[in-house]
Amino acid sequence: MRVGDVLPPLEIEITRTLIVAGAIASRDYQDVHHDAELARQKGSPDIFMNILTTNGLVGRYITDRFGPRSVLRRVAIRLGAPNYPGDTMVLTGTVEAVEGDTATVRVVGANGIGRHVTGTVTVTVPGADGAEGAEGAAGAAGIEGAEGAAVHEAAGSRP
C-alpha cells in the first residue's frame, strides 16, 4: 500500500431488506428506517439507511480490499445524501497516508442523488510495511458519534 493508491470501487445495491436488516442489527428502531408511511409523514420520500449500517459497509469495503488480517483502527464518517431503496451506493477509496503497516484511506460512498458518506479509515495490515495485498483478521470496537457523524476506534494501542 502506497500513498495515492486507489482502491477498486464496491457497488452496493440499496434494498429495503438491507436498510431494515441493518437497522435491526444495530438496534436502531427509529421508524424512518423500517416504516415507509411514517418516514413519509416525517418528510422523507421513503425509509433510509442508518449511520451504523453505513459504518459497517465502509468497514467491509476496507477489510475486503486489505485482506482478512487487516484491523480497523479508526473509522470517522459523515453522512450526506440518504441511501433510499432502489438506489446503488458506490464506495471508492484513496490511500492518503502510510506509516509502517498502517494506512489512512479517504472513503467516499456516492448514490444517485449525491455523496452518501465521506470520511477516513485507519487500517493496520500486519506484515504489510508498505506492501500491497497483505492478509489479516478484521476487528474494531468502540463507538462515538451521533446520527450524521460517527467515529469508531479500536480498543488498545497501535502495535
Side-chain angles (χ1 to χ4, degrees):
M1 65 188 147
R2 284 171 253 164
V3 172
D5 283 354
V6 176
L7 306 182
L10 173 64
E11 290 188 12
I12 299 170
E13 297 298 319
I14 308 302
T15 65
R16 285 185 188 287
T17 300
L18 175 62
I19 292 169
V20 174
I24 291 169
S26 61
R27 297 181 180 179
D28 183 348
Y29 304 117
Q30 291 188 39
D31 50 24
V32 294
H33 302 309
H34 65 84
D35 188 316
E37 182 56 37
L38 289 175
R40 280 189 283 280
Q41 288 176 16
K42 293 181 177 182
S44 178
D46 206 336
I47 63 171
F48 55 90
M49 184 176 287
N50 73 354
I51 194 167
L52 294 173
T53 303
T54 299
N55 195 77
L57 293 171
V58 167
R60 169 194 164 196
Y61 175 63
I62 296 299
T63 58
D64 280 0
R65 266 70 192 151
F66 286 93
R69 291 184 57 223
S70 58
V71 178
L72 300 177
R73 297 294 179 187
R74 183 171 191 269
V75 176
I77 62 171
R78 182 162 302 279
L79 293 183
N83 266 341
Y84 293 117
D87 207 343
T88 299
M89 177 175 64
V90 180
L91 289 166
T92 57
T94 304
V95 177
E96 289 190 327
V98 176
E99 185 178 324
D101 61 359
T102 301
T104 300
V105 181
R106 161 85 34 209
V107 176
V108 173
N111 60 34
I113 57 176
R115 285 186 172 181
H116 170 68
V117 62
T118 56
T120 59
V121 178
T122 303
V123 59
T124 297
V125 185
D129 292 317
E132 284 187 49
E135 304 140 13
I143 298 174
E144 298 176 26
E147 193 73 27
V151 176
H152 294 240
E153 297 205 38
S157 61
R158 286 178 39 188

